[in-house]
Amino acid sequence: MRLPRTDAALDALNDERDHLAIQVSLATDAEQPDPQRLAALRQKLAGVELKISNYRPVTQ
């Protein structure tokens, strides 16, 4: 899925990153953490962080 290059798109990526970071924290702190779920969440988080780091707003 390609996001439009707007500030709204960057805001959405930041929101997704924050949500995933919370999920990783909760999964890590669980009494019996599920290693597969934790690895999947960390991988998703890394992907979102990569999108944010590569983000280039379009200038008009």
Side-chain angles (χ1 to χ4, degrees):
M1 179 175 95
R2 297 184 89 151
L3 293 173
R5 301 281 186 185
T6 65
D7 289 340
L10 184 56
D11 289 344
L13 286 171
N14 283 321
D15 289 346
E16 184 177 359
R17 178 191 58 199
D18 293 346
H19 175 74
L20 286 169
I22 290 168
Q23 294 300 312
V24 167
S25 178
L26 290 173
T28 302
D29 293 342
E31 197 166 305
Q32 294 181 335
D34 179 353
Q36 289 179 327
R37 182 174 190 282
L38 190 53
L41 286 169
R42 285 184 175 151
Q43 185 174 6
K44 282 176 139 180
L45 181 58
V48 171
E49 288 175 341
L50 181 62
K51 287 180 187 178
I52 290 170
S53 70
N54 290 330
Y55 184 84
R56 302 289 179 261
V58 173
T59 56
Q60 294 180 358

